[in-house]
Amino acid sequence: MKEFAVFWGCTIPARFPFIEKSVRVVLERMGLPWTECDGFTCCPEKSLINNIDHGLWVLTGARNIAIVDEQGLDLVSPCTGCISNLATIKGELHVDHRKKEEVNSMLKEVGRRFTGSAGLNHLVPFFHDKVGAFRIKGATKRDFRGMRFAIHYGCHMMRPYHALKNDDPLEPKKFDALIGWLGGESVNYMTKLTCCGQGLDRVDQHPTALQMARVKLRELNSLGVDAMVLCCPSCFLQFDNNQFLMEKDGESFGIPVLYFTDLLGLAMGCSPEELGLGQHRISVDGFLEKWERLNAARDTEKRLEEELKEEGAFI
Amino acid sequence: MIEEHLDFNLLRKCADCGACYNVCPSCLYIEGYDPRAVIKDILEGGFERWLHSEHIWQCLECHQCLELCFQHYGFENAMTTMRLLATKKGIHPAQVKRGWDMFIKTGRLGEPAMGQRKRLGLPEPRPSGKEEFLRLLAIYRERKAQEKKGGEAER
Ligand code: SF4
Ligand code: SF4
């Protein structure tokens, strides 16, 4: 496997260091060839920067990509926004040589060069494609049989497709496959691919952002899932923080929100403390209790079976 | 000026189509959000009123419309263009301006939460590219200013 750098972006280190912890713990335990780079800036964020200055958006992204290009690394991000922005910028420069030259003539003045040789991927399709079922199953000790999950993909994990090319943009399957490899059930639900709506919180429209969060949370509440699982800090903000704010105001949903690496980490035997699960605003205690209960029941079953076998019972 | 940003041939087809209204999350869940109305006004030459509308900031850039579109166009293009023209005139939510200001000062939209990181036992974050970014920003601005001067001289 080619060595890769992790691109944390701004939101995870600033607002959710416990997500960074969860990702680090999993990458480390898996023994994957990962590293970090000096000198990254904001990816940059699309709705804020691109709306004001497209040229600067492209130039900043190209500089970030140049950092990994120069070191012969690939790049993987646990943030859907970062990876979608970087891939879109890379795609734009690949089809427009004049623009690429122009960007490189400016980068040259700070000693950098964009080639676009680095592969860019989001953590979830990366685990699906590059780490793979064999390695994942080999690294896990426990599974999630009997647990029902609502996957929230997050639009920018696989859209726009022309830039990311990592899953079907309208009917993605890789996250579902990963949950399956961990033994969990991915519940199909109507608003599964609907955008989280967190972007509205960045343009002074908080009540509308909450309105969008409710769409999914209400459906999941009526379906009765054990947790929502996602892999994007903006989506996490929308469903964990904003769900918490609404619950404080008297609404009730009760949907624990897990990061993909939280789930993988638990299956690998990491403790909830190591993964920072206590810092989620919506308590994950109920989820963990159910999981322990199911595991304990299965352990008893297994023990009984073995005891009976030893007694030479005919089963 | 607006023709610089939008392909009117595609836009006309889009006005006749309207198919993705039913997959657009903002159309489905936000009252009054409708890119088709914006497109109609653009084609008829009266889009200015949209520059002040909160609706143009409600496009989530989720790209559902783009992926579904038979001409790989996406009616988000009309919304993106409206936002671009609005910000050029200095019309935008205050939060957007705050984010922009922070970005051009620091190269980031937030600084690592050092206290929390320590408590979690996380290592020092890698140094950011702030200084280099600021130099690059100065170079970029200079180029743009030159281009503008060149353009004016030509005229
Ligand atoms: S990108 Fe904007 S216009 Fe297109 S479907 Fe998403 S919210 Fe609607
Ligand atoms: S974006 Fe494409 S699919 Fe949607 S209304 Fe326009 S032409 Fe039709």
Side-chain angles (χ1 to χ4, degrees), chain A residues 10 13 20 36 38-42 51 53 56 63 105 112 156 159-161 193 201-202 204-205 211, chain B residues 29 54 58 61-62 64 67 83-84 87 94-95 107 109 111 113 116-117 120 126-127 129 132 140 143:
Chain A
C10 301
E20 183 177 327
E36 291 177 275
D38 292 354
F40 286 140
T41 60
C42 177
N51 281 332
D53 192 334
L56 184 59
R63 184 186 158 279
S105 75
R112 300 215 180 264
H156 298 131
R159 287 197 293 268
Y161 176 78
L193 289 174
D201 249 340
R202 281 191 293 256
D204 286 327
Q205 299 197 27
Q211 190 179 313
Chain B
Y29 302 110
E54 61 172 6
Q58 289 166 340
E61 303 186 56
C62 73
Q64 284 269 16
E67 301 294 357
R83 289 195 299 273
L84 214 72
T87 50
Q95 211 179 348
L109 290 174
E111 294 301 315
Q116 257 200 72
R117 297 183 66 87
L120 286 161
R126 290 299 186 99
E132 190 182 302
Y140 173 75
R143 290 265 179 112

Side-chain angles (χ1 to χ4, degrees), chain A residues 93-111:
Chain A
L93 292 178
H94 265 322
V95 295
D96 190 338
H97 285 282
R98 236 189 55 196
K99 194 182 277 175
K100 186 167 147 186
E101 263 171 38
E102 204 180 300
V103 160
N104 267 331
S105 75
M106 286 184 269
L107 287 177
K108 197 173 168 205
E109 295 193 38
V110 295

Side-chain angles (χ1 to χ4, degrees), chain B residues 96-110:
Chain B
V96 171
K97 180 72 174 34
R98 281 201 301 279
W100 168 261
D101 286 344
M102 177 153 194
F103 174 68
I104 54 168
K105 261 189 219 125
T106 66
R108 287 205 284 223
L109 290 174

Side-chain angles (χ1 to χ4, degrees), chain B residues 79-149:
Chain B
M79 306 312 261
T80 312
T81 303
M82 288 298 109
R83 289 195 299 273
L84 214 72
L85 297 182
T87 50
K88 270 205 182 122
K89 293 192 170 182
I91 314 163
H92 41 58
Q95 211 179 348
V96 171
K97 180 72 174 34
R98 281 201 301 279
W100 168 261
D101 286 344
M102 177 153 194
F103 174 68
I104 54 168
K105 261 189 219 125
T106 66
R108 287 205 284 223
L109 290 174
E111 294 301 315
M114 296 310 282
Q116 257 200 72
R117 297 183 66 87
K118 226 184 210 144
R119 280 195 295 282
L120 286 161
L122 285 171
E124 276 287 307
R126 290 299 186 99
S128 91
K130 180 180 168 185
E131 303 309 324
E132 190 182 302
F133 167 77
L134 292 177
R135 267 191 289 143
L136 192 59
L137 177 64
I139 294 161
Y140 173 75
R141 285 185 160 160
E142 201 179 299
R143 290 265 179 112
K144 269 186 90 168
Q146 270 169 10
E147 266 167 38
K148 205 170 156 204
K149 245 207 246 145

Side-chain angles (χ1 to χ4, degrees), chain A residues 18 28 36 62 67 89-90 99 121 138 189 201 230 237 264 269 273-274 284 310:
Chain A
F18 53 91
E28 217 33 67
E36 291 177 275
I67 293 175
I89 290 165
K90 178 177 158 179
K99 194 182 277 175
N121 211 351
Y189 62 106
D201 249 340
L230 43 73
L237 184 68
L264 185 52
E273 294 73 42
E274 251 180 298
V284 296
E310 271 168 26

Side-chain angles (χ1 to χ4, degrees), chain B residues 10 13-15 17-21 65 68-71 73-75:
Chain B
L10 298 179
K13 286 204 188 87
C14 188
C17 166
C20 54
Y21 185 81
C65 54
L68 188 91
C69 181
F70 71 94
Q71 49 179 0
Y73 185 61
F75 62 15

